[in-house]
Amino acid sequence: NAGVTQTPKFQVLKTGQSMTLQCAQDMNHEYMSWYRQDPGMGLRLIHYSVGAGITDQGEVPNGYNVSRSTTEDFPLRLLSAAPSQTSVYFCASSYSGGRLGTGELFFGEGSRLTVL
Amino acid sequence: QKEVEQDPGPLSVPEGAIVSLNCTYSNSAFQYFMWYRQYSRKGPELLMYTYSSGNKEDGRFTAQVDKSSKYISLFIRDSQPSDSATYLCAMMNTGFQKLVFGTGTRLLVSP
């Protein structure tokens, strides 16, 4: 199993550009989520999904969209990139049947985004 | 005030030292407590998990939860250079679908 795969690993955008961060997992996990990690701020939840067709907002959802058409994929879209969105983005999944259960998240290796 | 507070460090110790990492929290509804370890330029991975109050031991690692004080700890015995990483505490309500993370403490173990 590859686990959680994120692409791209690095990306530089100009202000106002849009892009999609891809996330795929091959563990048949129903729960998937996106976090951003910033110095001094820790991991903050952007959006999460408890199953295909179901998404919800986290702590910092503004400027980001998500959709969940399949169990495997959970892409994160930046509609109009801003310098404040410069961060490291992590996708994470969990096996607990739509709920976090024990709270064990499996993380990807991260996507490093710079917005100029 | 953040729901979860954690000293960012860095915490520098010599090899073989006992390390104590801590978090405090304000939400008394948290029932599940976790420690994640994150190596540089990698994603976090679950290290320890405890439910409610008490201690849990796994090899050189001991997780401790004191709900009355809203305080959790991770102890590392006989620390090794390979333990150098950022340690993030995380916690969750029963039935909640989100984890709340601390900011992480960077640990450096020198040979």
Side-chain angles (χ1 to χ4, degrees), chain A residues 2 14 19 35 50 64 67 72 76 84-85 89 91-92 110 113 115:
Chain A
K14 295 181 180 178
M19 77 157 299
Y35 287 84
V50 298
Y64 307 95
S67 60
E72 295 77 22
L76 179 72
S84 60
Q85 294 178 304
Y89 291 85
C91 179
L113 175 66
V115 182

Side-chain angles (χ1 to χ4, degrees), chain B residues 7-69:
Chain B
D7 188 329
L11 177 62
S12 295
V13 301
E15 183 176 356
I18 297 174
V19 175
S20 172
L21 302 166
N22 311 293
C23 288
T24 59
Y25 64 95
S26 57
N27 188 341
S28 58
F30 288 139
Q31 294 284 347
Y32 296 90
F33 303 91
M34 287 134 277
W35 287 94
Y36 281 78
R37 178 174 61 194
Q38 184 177 21
Y39 290 113
S40 180
R41 296 193 171 273
K42 297 290 185 182
E45 56 180 350
L46 183 66
L47 184 63
M48 296 284 287
Y49 160 85
T50 52
Y51 170 69
S52 195
S53 286
N55 292 1
K56 184 173 184 178
E57 189 173 320
D58 185 1
R60 296 185 295 112
F61 299 89
T62 300
Q64 198 170 74
V65 175
D66 181 350
K67 291 189 68 181
S68 62
S69 302

Side-chain angles (χ1 to χ4, degrees), chain A residues 10 31 35 37 40-43 45 48 50 57-58 90 98-105 107-110 112, chain B residues 2 32 34 36 38 40-46 49 86 88 92 94-104:
Chain A
F10 301 93
Y31 183 98
Y35 287 84
Q37 187 173 37
M41 302 294 290
L43 283 162
L45 182 65
Y48 67 99
V50 298
Q57 295 182 351
F90 287 99
R99 296 163 67 86
L100 259 180
T102 62
E104 180 172 13
L105 286 172
F107 283 84
E109 295 214 333
R112 285 159 179 79
Chain B
K2 292 180 182 178
Y32 296 90
M34 287 134 277
Y36 281 78
Q38 184 177 21
S40 180
R41 296 193 171 273
K42 297 290 185 182
E45 56 180 350
L46 183 66
Y49 160 85
T86 297
L88 302 103
M92 182 177 67
T94 302
F96 212 48
Q97 293 172 329
K98 299 177 239 184
L99 279 179
V100 179
F101 284 87
T103 54

